[in-house]
Amino acid sequence: MDKNEIALLRRLCDFKKERFIRQETELLEYATPEVLGQLFFNRMQGVAYGVLKGAEQLNKVNREFRNSLKTAYEQNIQKNKSFFKCVHYITDLLSKCTFKYALLKGAALCETYPAGYRTSNDIDILIDAADIPHIEEILYSAGFRQGYIRNGEFAAASRKMIIESRLTRGETVPFIKKISLPGMEYLEADINFSLDYKPGDGTLIKKMLEDAAPLSAGETKINTLSGEDFFIHLCMHLYKEATTFFWITMKRDMTLYKYCDIYMFLNQMGREETDKLFKRIAELGLEKICAFAILYTASFFTINNDLAVKKAKEIFVDDRDFLHTVADPGQKRKLIYKNKNIAERFFLDDRTKNLMEVH
């Protein structure tokens, strides 16, 4: 992609900027198949349609470009209607449970964004590892089975796969149930009991779950983390995928919709909220991980929260390499990016080729 295509891609994702200036309007002639592909690959097509429609610029782009975004936007709205039914269903299933839990990410975020901007393929549930048997019993009794969707069909997981996932990944094999709703053939529930790519001691999760509380998500009240902890969890999830070699090989380490979540939260925080957030980050000892997520997001999106970016930069005054270091647990290696420009790295065809081993 050339610099104009990159500039257009960034503008179409920047939905908090309300109006197009003349130079941005001129970028619309670069609405190429490459830009369209990046929007879809990064799950930002609904946002891009909303940005163009809100700025009354839809007629300035190619018909195929415009119609592809429009169709995807409408599909997002339809899919979310099904997804919200699933969130209500899961909330109802867990309403009588005696253990603490929190619904994460899309279960709360899809209602926070403008309609059609954000979708989710599954429902993430955070629990203490000790409560895994209890939630398994609830889900199995409701007709869920553990496995994966392969080529549109359910494939059951073996007992070995179920045990290995719990021991090595910090999450269970997904629980899946066929629901046959428009845009959602299957409902997938992912049970998380670690905030890392491996199981931890559960201390952080216990602290976060202590403050979990109901939140209105459309017509449903869901149990989720406090505002600060919700943001911190997003940062931890983003960091895990951006810095683990396995995710990089799958090209799922820098998918823009995850950074868009951070961008949206930061841009709606005032000074007092930002100070409160960083106080909580310090209490949990997660300064570097959260600063990582903030600076990565700021390398692509326009962050109108100078205080958050300033605080994040201060954290890395003496350890810039943290921003560019990758773990390869399978080979027990530590790697580092040769290109230290985060925005440039995003557009590399194969980021694994830009990594070198640290001895």
Side-chain angles (χ1 to χ4, degrees):
M1 296 177 70
D2 68 25
K3 65 177 183 179
N4 291 309
E5 290 172 315
I6 291 171
L8 176 60
L9 174 66
R10 295 176 69 142
R11 182 61 186 93
L12 293 179
C13 295
D14 216 345
F15 72 92
K16 287 289 184 178
K17 288 180 71 174
E18 293 184 355
R19 65 185 186 88
F20 269 55
I21 61 176
R22 182 176 59 81
Q23 293 93 325
E24 292 171 336
T25 303
E26 291 171 355
L27 288 172
L28 294 175
E29 66 179 279
Y30 299 98
T32 63
E34 287 77 11
V35 174
L36 185 64
Q38 286 284 1
L39 289 168
F40 274 83
F41 190 82
N42 286 280
R43 287 171 57 179
M44 296 296 291
Q45 64 273 33
V47 171
Y49 179 78
V51 168
L52 287 170
K53 184 178 180 182
E56 299 182 345
Q57 299 294 324
L58 282 169
N59 64 323
K60 300 285 181 63
V61 298
N62 174 277
R63 183 185 67 176
E64 301 308 322
F65 192 99
R66 175 175 65 248
N67 288 346
S68 296
L69 295 182
K70 182 175 185 287
T71 300
Y73 172 81
E74 292 170 347
Q75 288 174 340
N76 283 358
I77 290 176
Q78 179 60 66
K79 182 178 181 178
N80 274 346
K81 288 179 181 178
S82 297
F83 180 71
F84 296 143
K85 289 180 182 178
C86 293
V87 171
H88 180 81
Y89 172 64
I90 289 290
T91 298
D92 192 50
L93 275 182
L94 299 178
S95 62
K96 294 185 175 69
C97 72
T98 56
F99 55 88
K100 289 183 176 291
Y101 76 91
L103 301 188
L104 305 170
K105 297 187 293 183
L109 286 170
C110 289
E111 275 283 2
T112 306
Y113 278 88
Y117 279 28
R118 174 72 151 81
T119 61
S120 184
N121 296 318
D122 50 39
I123 296 176
D124 291 276
I125 307 171
L126 184 69
I127 63 169
D128 187 283
D131 295 317
I132 293 174
H134 305 308
I135 199 165
E136 283 181 338
E137 182 180 354
I138 291 170
L139 294 174
Y140 275 124
S141 297
F144 285 83
R145 294 295 177 264
Q146 284 184 274
Y148 301 93
I149 303 301
R150 308 291 192 207
N151 298 316
E153 298 292 332
F154 174 74
S158 66
R159 179 163 179 75
K160 179 183 177 184
M161 292 165 68
I162 291 172
I163 293 172
E164 283 182 350
S165 181
R166 193 184 297 188
L167 291 176
T168 63
R169 296 188 59 194
E171 62 184 22
T172 64
V173 169
F175 286 80
I176 295 173
K177 180 177 181 178
K178 190 167 186 175
I179 51 169
S180 301
L181 290 173
M184 286 192 73
E185 185 68 12
Y186 293 92
L187 166 57
E188 177 179 326
D190 290 339
I191 311 304
N192 298 264
F193 55 93
S194 173
L195 301 172
D196 202 344
Y197 60 77
K198 58 185 181 299
D201 65 7
T203 302
L204 272 178
I205 287 177
K206 286 183 174 70
K207 286 183 178 179
M208 288 183 165
L209 289 177
E210 283 174 6
D211 295 328
L215 171 77
S216 293
E219 298 177 0
T220 302
K221 272 194 177 295
I222 67 168
N223 212 55
T224 190
L225 301 176
S226 69
E228 293 82 24
D229 287 353
F230 193 95
F231 178 87
I232 290 168
H233 175 266
L234 288 177
C235 291
M236 295 190 73
H237 185 74
L238 184 152
Y239 173 78
K240 177 183 74 173
E241 296 186 351
T243 62
T244 306
F245 188 71
F246 170 71
W247 291 96
I248 299 169
T249 61
M250 294 194 299
K251 300 185 186 297
R252 293 176 62 185
D253 55 311
M254 290 184 78
T255 318
L256 281 180
Y257 79 94
K258 300 168 195 168
Y259 295 84
C260 193
D261 294 341
I262 307 291
Y263 156 77
M264 181 178 69
F265 270 92
L266 288 174
N267 277 3
Q268 61 193 25
M269 285 182 191
R271 188 178 188 85
E272 186 177 335
E273 292 170 300
T274 302
D275 282 331
K276 186 179 177 183
L277 170 65
F278 274 84
K279 182 180 178 182
R280 178 60 169 171
I281 289 170
E283 284 176 4
L284 299 178
L286 297 170
E287 294 94 332
K288 284 189 175 181
I289 287 174
C290 292
F292 175 102
I294 291 169
L295 294 183
Y296 264 62
T297 301
S299 72
F300 198 88
F301 289 91
T302 303
I303 305 297
N304 296 319
N305 187 332
D306 294 338
L307 179 61
V309 176
K310 178 177 177 289
K311 284 177 174 286
K313 287 179 178 178
E314 288 171 352
I315 288 168
F316 290 119
V317 168
D318 299 318
D319 189 10
R320 297 291 298 178
D321 281 351
F322 189 91
L323 290 167
H324 315 296
T325 302
V326 168
D328 182 4
Q331 298 297 319
K332 296 182 172 58
R333 297 184 298 167
K334 185 165 82 169
L335 308 156
I336 193 164
Y337 281 108
K338 290 177 279 187
N339 185 339
K340 301 300 189 285
N341 186 305
I342 296 166
E344 288 180 7
R345 281 209 306 263
F346 175 84
F347 292 100
L348 295 177
D349 291 332
D350 185 353
R351 283 185 283 278
T352 63
K353 293 180 179 178
N354 194 249
L355 289 164
M356 61 181 181
E357 189 169 355
V358 178
H359 296 286

